[in-house]
Each structure stands twice: as structure tokens, then as C-alpha cells.
Amino acid sequence: MPQPGQALLRLREHLHQTRLLGSINSALYYDQNTVMPAAGADWRGQQLALLATQLHERQSSQVYADLVEAAEEEINGQAPASTVRNLRLLRQELERQRCLDPKLVERIARAQSRGNAVWQEARRRNSFEVFAPALEELLQLRREQAAQLADTEPAGRSPWEILAQPFEPDVSKARLAELFAPLAEGIPPLLERVCSLSPGEGFAPEASGVAEATAIPEPLQETLCAELLESWGYDPTRCQRSRSAHPFSSTLGPADFRITTRVVPGQPFSAFLATAHEWGHSLYEQGLPRGDDHYFPWPLGEATSMGVHESQSLFWECRVARSQAFASRWHPRFTRAMGGDPWGGSHHFWRGLNPMRPGLIRVEADELTYGLHIVLRFELELALVEQGLPVAELPELWNRRMGELLGIRPQRDAEGCLQDIHWAEGLFGYFPSYALGHLISAQLAETMERQLGPIETLVGSAEELRLQRWLAQTVWPLGRSVNGEELVSQVTGEPLSATPFLTYLSDKVDRLLEGA
Amino acid sequence: MPQPGQALLRLREHLHQTRLLGSINSALYYDQNTVMPAAGADWRGQQLALLATQLHERQSSQVYADLVEAAEEEINGQAPASTVRNLRLLRQELERQRCLDPKLVERIARAQSRGNAVWQEARRRNSFEVFAPALEELLQLRREQAAQLADTEPAGRSPWEILAQPFEPDVSKARLAELFAPLAEGIPPLLERVCSLSPGEGFAPEASGVAEATAIPEPLQETLCAELLESWGYDPTRCQRSRSAHPFSSTLGPADFRITTRVVPGQPFSAFLATAHEWGHSLYEQGLPRGDDHYFPWPLGEATSMGVHESQSLFWECRVARSQAFASRWHPRFTRAMGGDPWGGSHHFWRGLNPMRPGLIRVEADELTYGLHIVLRFELELALVEQGLPVAELPELWNRRMGELLGIRPQRDAEGCLQDIHWAEGLFGYFPSYALGHLISAQLAETMERQLGPIETLVGSAEELRLQRWLAQTVWPLGRSVNGEELVSQVTGEPLSATPFLTYLSDKVDRLLEGA
């Protein structure tokens, strides 16, 4: 492999500093969401705005543009494919940044920070009115952003599609509609089968009448989460976990990874499964090609899309921690910890881990209904961003569509349109990635099983590290060398489709219903 | 009061951004010392170095120098005294910054961050050899810094004195010698009286044979710390507390205050008293003149010296939380929590809070012996910085002088010259401020008592908020309008001296000995 030339090295140094600044941003965000006192929000917002401005400057300055151009001229098409790809991604991002007014970038950063704080308060007070002005402002700012970016985008991309690009490169509304249609068709019959077991309730803990008996004390949840992570290779010298209002995973440096969880009263497995989920995100980040620090500043060392990211978290949450074999293995540990078996056997413990039934909260939703939560948000985002839905009408439309899609209506906005942090931070176009994550996870898992044998078998013999190694060899090193759909095609040999996910769901429901 | 002119406003805006950057630094430092995984240290060091470089640039740039000059010209001697003072302090700091090579600033920041990480490891492994190269490097860098700064300083200031200026403006070795001599003379006889009670042991918990019985479980210590803070007006919307290896207090924004503590096995009151101590620091920071945000970016809104800062923490730790009246009030709470009275009455509980006897660890030291710990460090710093003491000889000299001053020798460097974080971060010249804090606290307390009546009486009737209000009206608003010694003269009407502290100590020892 040829040595990088001077222009590439200078560019690398610039990107390294940019990455340092960006990761300072992540550190402040982590602090904000785990320990920062509420009154710190305004100042923190100003800090984040300052960093956002600096980052934007670095990423759009003439100095930087010259560095990119010099590197492009230096390689003159002769470099390794990875270098060519890195420069192409940098060029694309540069053109986007240069379209944006720095004033707008700063206003968005401030509005995001304020939005976060206002959302926390609105949710606590269950008051959409408290949140509405912040949401209105964020929508306005994002529409402005999409308009400023339009020139750099392929013709015909809509504002929502433009905003969704950072999360899911090359995504389109039409492709999403094509991928999501089989879900809307295939999930309701499965849900019906599940609910037939105990009409309207599915496999909820309430259905078996053991809700109170299965309440796991908080310190015990903490212990079980720690044991889970330890069994999956968690290394406290590289990782740290905290509590936050909304679980998340974050990378603060090439060897500094954080995850957060929360304990939800009445949801005995919430923290446990969220731990599995966020750890899945973190494993992907830890496995991206940045071991020798060479890739960390380059685009190829980044996650390729939020859909792929989500496929990794969902793999560990759903395919592993919610699997039958995992339930069999951990059932004795849980019963020992509880000093008894409130679930009444391993099969019901497994059902407890898979409380399939319509629910109000996305992050507590099961694999079966999750997609419908996304359909709802996808529709409403489109309506808010580009179809003129007035913000004030959001709660009512949310509640109505929730009723139509899942048969239940929130009584409080805190359990409705105020439940998610995304819009509060101006992230429009993010939600579809969650559903894509389910599809990608299922399709990758099919290929994994062809190569390693059934996941259930490996989990049954506590060989999760073999699953991890497969992902570490097959998926994580790809970084941004391919986009999400290309990754799936490359690894599985087939274009992405909803079929593997629906097949998996149908099989799981069959097994869950056994012995009912 | 005249409105600030355009030049002042532009300067203020510049300072505001500088303050934002500086407080980002504080946030990263806080994260580093509370939750960051060890492997994150290298990257964090690079982040801090980047910020240090940016800060140095902002504080030494021609743009900034022009802003200061324009403001000086604008006011032309006609402004309020506070404005004149602000500009004078800014000018002084500007000249200092402009003397420093930016490369040196960056190297120091990196070395500090590395020093911190290496020190943590060296302490864990009890290996001075692990730490020695980092210390050598920091000393070398600081000597370079002192040499670069020499031109801006009054003639005759020694390297150590130059390095001590940021902590204690206008401090000199001669004045410290003058202030510390009465301590070296007055403390040993008091220590002798205390130790006569139980030779060689003083009032240590071990002396009364209740060490194990008085071990307070960690969660209970946590609860008692929380109650203490609540009774002193702690507001969780503005403050946050965490754990760290070394307790500290930090200001992350005009409404974002943090304190940390640690639980020390075998030291039942360590976390409790450290909480009082760090809260004292935080109260001062919270009370500095920055309420309307006007002062936050200006020097007058800052603490005037570390000695004054320390006087505030020591006031709450020693004058309040270690007082007899406080012990009487809290004794029932502690015995209720412990389900019994392992101390054997309120007087012995009070002695438990004042375990006067020679000990190895500075941060666990009592009021009586504390000054001798500082004398040791002051001597050794001078020797390291400007008298040619080789780093390799530090442990042996430390141990020998410890034996001479306090009659005990560390068995392990972790309990000797590796115990403090200061040198690991290249902070030379800081330690004397701790002893000054004792003197200042005692002298301020004398004046407070003349105006409010005995502190013991007010604490006995749970009126600590009156003490707090006095400090809030008399001390905190002064900010940097005066230096430490000037503050004492202004508030107490007398120049700083060791007499009030020694008088207080003597009286306390008398009362502790009562009934013995």
C-alpha cells in the first residue's frame, strides 16, 4: 500500500482536530444527559452552540476546502479504493456544509439544546403547550436547512429526504414505503394470533397476573445488568455506564465508550434489555475500523447509517437477550436473585421477556408492534416537515393514528407525542432507521445462521462471543465503505427485504404460543 | 452608573466566549475525574490540549490585545473603579499570556493530562518510579514557564513565586515564612497536650477502641451527606455531586456547580466532612458576583485566591461541621442511623469528628497537624522547582521530613509523596494556600463572631444560614476586587496573622480535653 502523501497527511491532521472538537461535543452531551443540573442547560446550550459553530467553520472553511482539493489532486485517481472513498465522502460532506449559513448552524445548535431542556420539562409536566414553541422553531430551522442544502442534493429529493440523509444515506420515501408495506400487511395477523391467547393483552406480564411479583428491585436490576455486560465482554477500562432519562450509547474517543440505561417502574426487564440494546450499539462503535487510530478521523471509520447501527443494537436485544435459549440460561439466575420463581417456569420467563401486545411507548415496544410505532412517526414527520401539519394539531393526530394503528390511545401526551427525545433535538428523518434496523438485523442473522448454525443453539451454550466475532469480522469493519443497503447486499448476497424479519417473527410467535 | 461603551461591550463578548471555552475545559475535567474510563485518558488529554491552545490563543491574540487596548482608551480613567480594576487584571493576565510560547502551553496541557493518568496508576501500584518521569517533565515545563513569565513580573520574584501567582496573587516566600513561623512554634505544644491524653494517639477513633463499631456503611454515609447538604441549602437544580478519587469542587457554568467526595474505608466521617468542605468551596463560587451574568466573564466575578477559597471550605468543614455544637446536634441523627451509640455520648462523638493526631494523609489531616503537612510540601516544592532536588530523591526526603515534622514515616509512597494530585497536574505553588485558608478562616470567623455572636451558639440552634448570609454579604461579593490579604484587612480591620487561628485551636483543644 502506498504511503499517504503530504496533502493527505495535512488533511488527516485537520480531520483529527475536527474529531477532537466533535468528541468534546459528545462529552458535553453525555454530561448533560446523565448528571448536569437543570439550571446548567442555558450555559450548556451556549457551549454546544459555540462548538457547533467552530465545527461548522472547520468543516466548511476555505482552508479545509483547499486541503480536500489538494488531497484529491495528490491522489489523482491512483490511490487505494479506501482513500478514494474517504475523499468522496469528505467532498460530499464539504459541499453540504458550505451550503449552510453559519448563523443557521448556530441557531440550530441553540434550539436543540433548548429543545432538549424544554422537552424534559414538558414531559414532566405532561404539557405539550410547553414544548410546542420549541418544536415549531426546530421545524422552521430544519426546513431552512433543507432549503439551503437542496442545491447539493440529487434533483427531486424532498425536504424530509434531505434531512434524513445524515441518518440513512441515499434513503428515499418511496424505498421506505416499499420496505414497510409488508410490515403493515404481515404484522397485524401475527399480533392477532398473539392476542388471541389472552384477548387484547398478548404476553404482557399483566396477562399472567404476576406484574407485582415480578417487580425486580432497582439494585438487583443494576447487578443483573452488570452481569450481562460482563458475560458479553464489557471492559470497564474502556467503557462506562450511567443513568439517563432516555437510554443512549455514545463514543467519546477511540477508546472511550459510554452507555446509559434507566430503570422503569413496572417494567422488570426494561433496564436489562436496554443494556443489551445500548451495548449492541457500543460494540459496533468499538468494532469500527479505528484500532490503529488511522481510521478514526476518516469517514470510513464511522458507522454507515443509523439503520445499520440499530440492527446491531436490536441483534443483541432481540435476537440474543429475548431469545428462548437466553431465557432458559438466565431463568435460574433471575429466580435465584428473586429468591423464588414468580414467572412459573422458564417458558413463562421467556414470555416475560417478550411481552408482545400493543403499547404506548416506542422504547418499551416489542418486536412485533415496533414497526407500527415507526410508521406513525414516519407519517407525522412527513406531515410536520413538508405537508403543513400545524404543530398544535400534532397531539390529536398522534392519538388518532395511534388508535388506528395499534388500537390504543394515550391518555397523556407524556405517553404520546412527548415520549421521544428526537424531535426535541430537531432530529427529523431519524425514526425510519429503527424499523430498518429490525429488517437488517433479521437478514444478517439469516446469513450468520447459515454460517455458524442456529443462534438459539449458540446462545444456549453461552457462546455469544462467537456471534460477536462474526459481526466483528463481517459487519463492523465495513465502516462507511458501503451504505446500509449495500452492506446488506454485500454480506447476505440479497437486497434488503422485510421477508427475513417477518419469517423470524412468525416462527418466534409460534414458539411463544407453544404450550399455551 | 455610566453605560459601558462599544469597546467594553466588544471586549465583554470576547471574554464571554473565552469563559465558554474555559468552562468546557472544566466539564471535561469533571467527567475525567468522575466517570471517564481509564483508556479514555490519551484522547481526553488531546482534547484538553486543544482547548488549552485555543484558550491561550484567545487570551494572547492580537485581536484580543486590541480589544483590551480599545477598552482602556475608551474609559480613559473615567470609568467606575470596578471597570478600572477589571481592565487592570485583564491587562496583567494578557501580558503574562503573551510571554508564553503557545507550544509550551500545549505541552503543559498534555503533560498535565498524562500526569494525572500516570499518577492514578502509580498510586494504585504504589510505584513512585511509574510517576517520576511525568513529574520530571512537569517540573521542567513549569521551570520553562516561569522563565518565560519572568519579564512580566516584579523584579526579584523567584521561579516558585512566579508559579504561585495564579493561586495566590502577590504572594512571596518571605511573607509565607513570616505567617507560617508561629504555626511551627505554636502547634507542637498543642499537639503534645492532645497526645498526652493517650500518648501518640491523640483523639483518634482507635484511641477509644471503637474503630470498627463506628464504621458507617457506605449507603448510610451517602444519606448523611445528602441530609447535610440539604440542611445547608443544597439545590439539586443548580448542583450535582459525584464520586472521584480525590474530592473537588468545580464550576461548570454560572448556574452549574459540582462537588465530589469519596468514601474512605476506616474513616467514618471522611465523606461527611469532605462534603462540608467541598460545599464550602461551592458556596463561595455560587456567591461570587455573577448573579446577573454581568460579572461572569469579568475578572471581578472570580475567586480572588486559593487561600480565600480554602478559607471558605475550611470554615464549613472545621468551624461548623467539626464544632462542638454541630456534634451535639447531629449526634442523635448518627446514633439513630447506626441503631446505637458506638461513640459513647455526644462529647466522644465530637472527638470522633476531631481525631487530632499525627497522620500520613493531608486530606485526612486534622486542623492541628494540617499546617505541618503544608510546611513539608512548601519546602519540597521549593527544593524541586528552584533548589535542584533530583526527582528520584523526593520519596526519601519526603519520608525523612515527615518523620521530623510529625514523628511518623510512610511505609508506602502511595501514603507519602504520591498521595496528592497537585504535582501530578503540574500545580506547584498551590499548597501554601491551604494553610493560608486556615488562617483566613479563623480571622474572618473572629470578626463574624463579633457581629453575630458565637458560631457555636448559632450552630447549636441550627442557624447556619445566618453564617452563610454573613459570608454572602461580606466576603463573596468582593470577587477579585482585592487580593487575599487585602480581603482580610478590609473585612477584619487587621492584617492577616496566625494569632486568631492559634487562639481558636488552643480553645478547641481545651474543650476537647474537658472530661478526659
Side-chain angles (χ1 to χ4, degrees):
Chain A
M1 189 171 148
Q3 290 300 306
Q6 284 308 308
L8 272 175
L9 286 176
R10 278 196 302 274
L11 176 58
R12 187 195 181 287
E13 182 52 29
H14 185 94
L15 294 171
H16 182 82
Q17 301 258 333
T18 307
R19 187 71 77 181
L20 281 172
L21 275 177
S23 61
I24 290 173
N25 208 307
S26 304
L28 294 182
Y29 181 89
Y30 186 80
D31 177 270
Q32 179 175 28
N33 285 281
T34 53
V35 292
M36 188 189 79
D42 177 64
W43 188 256
R44 180 55 48 87
Q46 293 185 51
Q47 291 174 325
L48 293 171
L50 176 66
L51 286 176
T53 305
Q54 284 196 8
L55 273 168
H56 177 68
E57 272 168 26
R58 284 190 72 78
Q59 289 170 327
S60 61
S61 67
Q62 192 55 48
V63 170
Y64 174 54
D66 292 345
L67 286 169
V68 172
E69 197 177 328
E72 286 165 343
E73 281 170 10
E74 181 175 88
I75 67 165
N76 192 24
Q78 300 302 303
S82 62
T83 306
V84 174
R85 172 82 178 167
N86 270 323
L87 288 179
R88 191 175 309 139
L89 290 166
L90 289 173
R91 165 63 63 190
Q92 182 184 45
E93 187 54 27
L94 172 63
E95 296 308 323
R96 283 185 182 153
Q97 291 287 339
R98 284 167 75 91
C99 283
L100 291 178
D101 177 0
K103 290 260 180 298
L104 179 66
V105 173
E106 191 185 334
R107 279 162 61 210
I108 288 173
R110 278 180 204 267
Q112 284 182 304
S113 186
R114 204 162 41 233
N116 182 317
V118 166
W119 168 74
Q120 307 249 15
E121 196 200 338
R123 208 167 65 141
R124 199 169 49 243
R125 293 169 48 186
N126 185 42
S127 167
F128 183 75
E129 278 175 28
V130 166
F131 179 53
L135 178 59
E136 182 65 60
E137 183 189 17
L138 283 160
L139 280 163
Q140 177 54 35
L141 290 168
R142 288 296 191 192
R143 279 190 216 105
E144 255 181 84
Q145 181 184 4
Q148 290 183 11
L149 286 170
D151 281 349
T152 67
E153 300 285 326
R157 250 181 207 165
S158 78
W160 183 90
E161 284 175 334
I162 291 173
L163 294 176
Q165 293 304 310
F167 313 120
E168 214 58 42
D170 311 320
V171 74
S172 75
K173 292 186 284 186
R175 177 65 177 141
L176 287 177
E178 184 181 30
L179 286 166
F180 290 172
L183 301 183
E185 196 177 330
I187 288 173
L190 289 172
L191 190 57
E192 212 166 300
R193 286 183 59 203
V194 166
C195 289
S196 70
L197 182 68
S198 167
E201 301 211 5
F203 297 137
E206 293 87 333
S208 46
V210 292
E212 278 179 36
T214 59
I216 303 177
E218 200 164 320
L220 187 51
Q221 292 196 38
E222 192 59 35
T223 304
L224 291 164
C225 290
E227 285 179 26
L228 174 66
L229 287 174
E230 203 183 333
S231 77
W232 286 356
Y234 175 86
D235 174 358
T237 69
R238 292 163 51 85
C239 311
Q240 196 269 338
R241 62 200 183 89
S242 288
R243 296 285 185 82
S244 65
H246 189 100
F248 66 97
S249 160
S250 185
T251 298
L252 270 64
D256 185 350
F257 303 92
R258 316 282 178 103
I259 61 173
T260 72
T261 51
R262 59 174 174 183
V263 168
V264 183
Q267 302 267 4
F269 301 116
S270 172
F272 191 75
L273 292 169
T275 299
H277 184 98
E278 299 306 334
W279 183 240
H281 280 303
S282 191
L283 278 177
Y284 179 38
E285 289 280 321
Q286 293 177 47
L288 285 167
R290 58 173 73 130
D292 59 356
D293 188 51
H294 173 68
Y295 275 102
F296 193 59
W298 297 104
L300 284 186
E302 296 177 329
T304 191
S305 83
M306 291 302 107
V308 171
H309 228 306
E310 201 61 21
S311 78
Q312 299 307 294
S313 56
L314 289 171
F315 178 82
W316 291 97
E317 177 195 346
C318 297
R319 298 303 297 236
V320 182
R322 290 191 200 260
S323 73
Q324 192 165 13
F326 187 87
S328 297
R329 248 180 65 213
W330 280 77
H331 178 242
R333 175 67 190 101
F334 273 77
T335 54
R336 196 166 71 246
M338 296 284 279
D341 182 5
W343 297 280
S346 156
H347 194 76
H348 282 92
F349 177 72
W350 181 41
R351 283 192 185 168
L353 283 164
N354 290 276
M356 299 185 174
R357 66 156 189 173
L360 295 170
I361 306 297
R362 179 186 58 82
V363 295
E364 304 293 344
D366 53 75
E367 294 169 276
L368 202 49
T369 55
Y370 198 98
L372 303 178
H373 286 270
I374 298 310
V375 168
L376 170 75
R377 285 157 180 79
F378 178 42
E379 276 182 27
L380 293 177
E381 277 189 347
L382 284 174
L384 285 167
V385 172
E386 58 186 40
Q387 293 161 1
L389 175 68
V391 162
E393 292 176 21
L394 176 64
E396 178 44 34
L397 188 54
W398 177 292
N399 296 347
R400 180 158 62 77
R401 286 297 290 146
M402 190 78 189
E404 289 161 7
L405 285 162
L406 279 152
I408 49 176
R409 280 178 72 105
Q411 298 304 303
R412 311 165 63 244
D413 289 334
E415 296 175 336
C417 63
L418 286 177
Q419 69 182 266
D420 293 310
I421 198 171
H422 304 66
W423 295 343
E425 297 195 339
L427 303 179
F428 306 104
Y430 192 117
F431 283 116
S433 296
Y434 290 121
L436 291 177
H438 277 290
L439 306 194
I440 296 170
S441 168
Q443 193 158 331
L444 293 175
E446 267 195 357
T447 302
M448 181 191 275
E449 291 195 312
R450 274 200 298 274
Q451 297 178 13
L452 302 182
I455 292 171
E456 290 275 1
T457 307
L458 290 162
V459 171
S461 51
E463 293 180 274
E464 285 101 317
L465 291 184
R466 286 191 59 200
L467 311 179
Q468 192 173 313
R469 210 172 311 132
W470 188 88
L471 293 169
Q473 286 163 355
T474 315
V475 176
W476 304 339
L478 294 175
R480 283 179 70 188
S481 62
V482 286
N483 73 22
E485 293 228 31
E486 289 162 355
L487 181 146
V488 171
S489 299
Q490 187 167 318
V491 174
T492 71
E494 301 281 343
L496 180 62
S497 95
T499 308
F501 180 55
L502 288 169
T503 305
Y504 154 75
L505 278 183
S506 171
D507 170 66
K508 187 167 190 176
V509 166
D510 283 347
R511 286 184 295 119
L512 279 165
L513 285 171
E514 267 170 29
Chain B
M1 187 172 149
Q3 289 300 305
Q6 284 308 308
L8 272 174
L9 287 176
R10 278 195 303 274
L11 176 59
R12 186 194 182 288
E13 182 53 28
H14 185 94
L15 294 171
H16 182 82
Q17 301 257 332
T18 307
R19 187 72 76 181
L20 281 172
L21 275 178
S23 61
I24 290 172
N25 208 306
S26 304
L28 294 182
Y29 181 89
Y30 186 80
D31 177 271
Q32 179 175 27
N33 285 282
T34 54
V35 293
M36 188 190 79
D42 176 65
W43 188 257
R44 179 55 48 88
Q46 293 185 51
Q47 291 174 326
L48 292 172
L50 176 66
L51 286 177
T53 306
Q54 284 195 8
L55 273 168
H56 177 68
E57 273 169 24
R58 285 190 72 78
Q59 290 169 327
S60 60
S61 67
Q62 192 54 49
V63 169
Y64 173 55
D66 291 345
L67 286 169
V68 172
E69 196 178 329
E72 287 166 341
E73 282 171 10
E74 183 174 87
I75 68 164
N76 193 23
Q78 299 302 303
S82 62
T83 307
V84 174
R85 171 85 179 167
N86 270 322
L87 288 179
R88 191 175 310 142
L89 291 165
L90 289 173
R91 166 62 63 190
Q92 182 183 45
E93 187 54 25
L94 173 63
E95 296 308 322
R96 283 186 182 151
Q97 291 286 340
R98 284 167 75 93
C99 283
L100 292 177
D101 177 1
K103 290 260 180 297
L104 179 68
V105 173
E106 191 185 334
R107 280 162 62 209
I108 289 174
R110 279 181 204 267
Q112 285 182 304
S113 187
R114 203 162 42 234
N116 182 318
V118 166
W119 168 74
Q120 307 250 12
E121 197 200 338
R123 208 167 64 140
R124 199 170 48 244
R125 293 169 49 187
N126 185 44
S127 167
F128 183 73
E129 278 175 28
V130 167
F131 178 54
L135 179 59
E136 183 66 60
E137 183 189 17
L138 284 160
L139 280 163
Q140 177 54 37
L141 291 168
R142 288 299 190 191
R143 279 190 218 106
E144 256 181 83
Q145 182 184 3
Q148 291 184 9
L149 286 170
D151 281 349
T152 67
E153 301 285 325
R157 250 181 208 166
S158 77
W160 183 90
E161 285 175 334
I162 291 172
L163 295 175
Q165 293 305 310
F167 314 121
E168 213 58 44
D170 310 319
V171 75
S172 74
K173 292 186 283 185
R175 177 65 176 141
L176 287 177
E178 183 180 34
L179 286 166
F180 291 173
L183 300 183
E185 196 177 332
I187 289 173
L190 290 172
L191 190 57
E192 213 165 300
R193 287 183 59 203
V194 166
C195 290
S196 69
L197 182 67
S198 166
E201 300 212 4
F203 297 139
E206 291 88 331
S208 44
V210 292
E212 279 180 34
T214 57
I216 304 177
E218 199 164 319
L220 186 52
Q221 292 196 37
E222 192 59 38
T223 304
L224 291 164
C225 290
E227 284 179 26
L228 173 66
L229 287 174
E230 202 182 333
S231 78
W232 285 357
Y234 175 86
D235 174 359
T237 69
R238 291 162 51 85
C239 312
Q240 196 269 338
R241 63 198 182 92
S242 288
R243 295 286 185 83
S244 66
H246 190 100
F248 66 96
S249 160
S250 186
T251 297
L252 272 64
D256 184 349
F257 303 93
R258 317 282 178 103
I259 61 172
T260 72
T261 50
R262 59 174 174 182
V263 168
V264 182
Q267 301 268 5
F269 301 116
S270 173
F272 191 74
L273 293 170
T275 298
H277 184 98
E278 300 306 334
W279 182 241
H281 280 304
S282 192
L283 278 176
Y284 179 37
E285 288 280 320
Q286 294 178 48
L288 286 167
R290 58 175 72 131
D292 60 354
D293 188 50
H294 173 69
Y295 274 102
F296 194 59
W298 296 104
L300 284 186
E302 297 176 329
T304 190
S305 83
M306 289 304 108
V308 171
H309 227 307
E310 200 62 19
S311 77
Q312 299 306 295
S313 56
L314 289 170
F315 178 82
W316 291 96
E317 177 195 345
C318 297
R319 299 303 297 237
V320 183
R322 291 192 200 259
S323 72
Q324 190 165 14
F326 187 87
S328 297
R329 249 179 64 213
W330 280 77
H331 178 242
R333 175 68 191 97
F334 273 76
T335 54
R336 197 166 69 245
M338 296 285 277
D341 182 6
W343 298 279
S346 157
H347 194 76
H348 283 90
F349 177 72
W350 181 42
R351 284 192 184 168
L353 283 164
N354 290 277
M356 297 182 175
R357 65 156 189 172
L360 294 168
I361 306 298
R362 180 186 57 84
V363 295
E364 304 294 346
D366 52 75
E367 293 169 278
L368 202 48
T369 55
Y370 197 98
L372 303 178
H373 286 269
I374 298 310
V375 168
L376 170 75
R377 286 158 179 77
F378 177 43
E379 276 182 26
L380 293 176
E381 277 190 348
L382 283 174
L384 286 166
V385 172
E386 59 185 38
Q387 294 161 1
L389 175 69
V391 163
E393 293 177 20
L394 176 64
E396 178 44 33
L397 188 55
W398 177 292
N399 296 347
R400 180 158 62 77
R401 286 297 290 146
M402 190 77 189
E404 289 162 5
L405 285 162
L406 279 151
I408 48 176
R409 280 178 71 104
Q411 297 305 303
R412 310 165 64 243
D413 289 335
E415 296 174 337
C417 65
L418 286 177
Q419 69 182 267
D420 292 311
I421 198 171
H422 305 66
W423 295 343
E425 297 195 338
L427 303 178
F428 306 105
Y430 192 117
F431 283 116
S433 295
Y434 290 121
L436 291 177
H438 278 290
L439 306 195
I440 296 170
S441 168
Q443 193 158 332
L444 292 175
E446 268 195 356
T447 302
M448 182 192 273
E449 292 196 312
R450 276 201 296 275
Q451 296 178 12
L452 301 182
I455 293 171
E456 290 275 3
T457 307
L458 290 162
V459 171
S461 51
E463 293 181 273
E464 286 101 317
L465 292 183
R466 287 191 59 201
L467 312 180
Q468 191 173 313
R469 208 171 313 133
W470 188 88
L471 293 168
Q473 286 164 356
T474 314
V475 175
W476 305 339
L478 295 176
R480 284 178 71 187
S481 62
V482 286
N483 72 21
E485 293 226 33
E486 290 162 354
L487 181 145
V488 171
S489 298
Q490 187 166 318
V491 173
T492 72
E494 301 281 342
L496 180 61
S497 96
T499 308
F501 180 54
L502 288 169
T503 305
Y504 154 76
L505 279 182
S506 171
D507 170 66
K508 189 167 189 177
V509 167
D510 284 346
R511 287 184 294 119
L512 280 164
L513 285 171
E514 267 169 29

